[in-house]
Amino acid sequence: MTENQWTEFQNLRQSYKSYVDELIRALPQLPVLLTELIGKRSGPSYPLETPVVYNHALDDIQKESTISVILVADNPGRREQSAAERRYLVGPSGKLADGFFKKHPELGIDFRRNVLILNKTPIHTPRTVELRDLARRGGPDLAEAIRNSQIMMARFIHQCHQIFAPEAELWIIGYSEMGPGKLFEAFTDTLRAAYAIAGYGPDSLFLDSTLASKAPAQGGIADSGDTADNSPASNAPALAENSISRQQVYLYRHFSMNQFSVDFTKQQEPGESTQETLHRIGSQYRKRILGW
């Protein structure tokens, strides 16, 4: 990556790491609520080790790294939150994703080296749909914190795409909960606005390290819109004027249960390259969910 990209990525990475730390401090009730949720669910129990997960794989990225895809999953699961991992997509879904890229070397993408992974929210639950149960247990403050975390992540993701465009594509994995009234509606609305509104530039999206001081006393998270608007302009990195296009945003089915690969195989047309199929499928789902 260029010197500017490297500097901008380091700033963004630190902002993201600081946000996760501040989110943990602002939600002292979260470990207890998650422990109760894990203990009462029908699935296997496990020790809660990281209620809000920063992806430590980002720390492995160096100036010499090449980022080809920014991949967005849902939220950290059981393996991702373990103290031994604290990385995204390290469970069965991650293995399936890795397998897809290994099966298609023509893409020239190493899943563990060229794919930067983020989530729609860094808040852990055993299964994504259990974010609803967690919100009900925690009441309005926690429900709002989960919603605001999606807004913050959508802005981080858009800014990350700004840094690595036009070389990197944005892949959003799992879109069934992105529609109106669904679990990730706030994420969808924020991302749609980021790519659609003229002048929605990097300064308005930059997230500084003062979020915790703006969190409500009850343990909720400050409204991310207020945080972004109030961030001092001097704190915002001077992002390179890369050519970012919403046409480089693609939506796909989950890797879990091999949905991604099955859908790819089912939809690939004769004579079509792997990349052409991926772009066609991803564009169709993008238009369905984001409207463009």
Side-chain angles (χ1 to χ4, degrees):
M1 63 185 78
T2 67
E3 196 66 45
N4 280 343
Q5 285 176 316
W6 175 235
T7 299
E8 292 155 8
F9 171 70
Q10 287 180 295
N11 290 339
L12 180 64
R13 179 171 58 187
Q14 185 56 52
S15 295
Y16 173 39
K17 186 181 298 184
S18 297
Y19 170 66
V20 169
D21 290 342
E22 291 155 6
L23 189 58
I24 293 171
R25 290 195 295 269
L27 297 173
Q29 76 278 34
L30 187 57
V32 173
L33 293 170
L34 275 171
T35 300
E36 292 175 352
L37 177 65
I38 293 168
K40 293 181 179 180
R41 63 191 295 269
S42 58
S45 182
Y46 58 89
L48 175 69
E49 296 176 309
T50 320
V52 185
V53 185
Y54 164 78
N55 183 11
H56 283 265
L58 299 182
D59 296 335
D60 297 336
I61 296 176
Q62 302 297 321
K63 186 177 183 296
E64 296 74 25
S65 301
T66 298
I67 303 301
S68 302
V69 172
I70 301 163
L71 189 149
V72 181
D74 286 342
N75 73 315
R78 178 171 64 88
R79 289 178 176 84
E80 284 82 0
Q81 68 84 40
S82 68
E85 293 288 355
R86 290 175 180 160
R87 294 166 180 257
Y88 296 168
L89 284 182
V90 293
S93 293
K95 292 179 181 178
L96 289 168
D98 189 27
F100 177 83
F101 286 104
K102 286 179 177 176
K103 185 178 179 180
H104 295 281
E106 66 273 17
L107 292 173
I109 297 174
D110 183 317
F111 180 64
R112 294 301 177 189
R113 292 173 61 88
N114 307 129
V115 178
L116 188 159
I117 305 173
L118 294 169
N119 273 335
K120 299 179 183 80
T121 174
I123 297 175
H124 160 70
T125 50
R127 296 171 62 243
T128 297
V129 294
E130 289 171 322
L131 281 167
R132 290 192 181 91
D133 296 335
L134 181 63
R136 283 194 289 268
R137 288 174 180 273
D141 284 347
L142 183 55
E144 186 66 9
I146 293 171
R147 176 184 176 277
N148 283 335
S149 73
Q150 297 176 36
I151 294 171
M152 299 292 269
M153 289 309 302
R155 290 175 170 175
F156 274 124
I157 288 160
H158 178 266
Q159 189 171 340
C160 190
H161 198 192
Q162 283 184 305
I163 292 171
F164 293 111
E167 293 84 5
E169 298 176 352
L170 177 62
W171 290 19
I172 301 175
I173 306 299
Y175 57 83
S176 62
E177 289 287 350
M178 289 179 62
K182 297 295 185 68
L183 186 58
F184 294 121
E185 179 181 14
F187 174 88
T188 304
D189 289 345
T190 306
L191 196 72
R192 184 186 291 117
Y195 284 89
I197 298 176
Y200 199 83
D203 287 357
S204 65
L205 293 173
F206 181 70
L207 306 169
D208 66 18
S209 60
T210 62
L211 179 63
S213 64
K214 299 171 185 173
Q218 291 85 352
I221 299 300
D223 182 270
S224 53
D226 292 341
T227 302
D229 291 341
N230 294 333
S231 298
S234 59
N235 287 343
L239 285 174
E241 294 182 0
N242 293 337
S243 176
I244 184 171
S245 169
R246 61 188 187 181
Q247 301 307 313
Q248 288 182 296
V249 179
Y250 301 99
L251 273 63
Y252 299 102
R253 295 187 184 276
H254 283 291
F255 285 110
S256 62
M257 307 298 291
N258 217 27
Q259 295 176 69
F260 183 100
S261 293
V262 169
D263 191 42
F264 172 85
T265 301
K266 181 180 179 180
Q267 294 209 45
Q268 189 168 35
E269 297 178 353
E272 199 173 45
S273 71
T274 299
Q275 188 175 65
E276 287 170 343
T277 302
L278 287 169
H279 285 176
R280 179 172 52 78
I281 294 173
S283 297
Q284 289 173 352
Y285 294 144
R286 182 191 68 228
K287 291 175 183 176
R288 180 188 303 179
I289 301 299
L290 297 177
W292 35 262

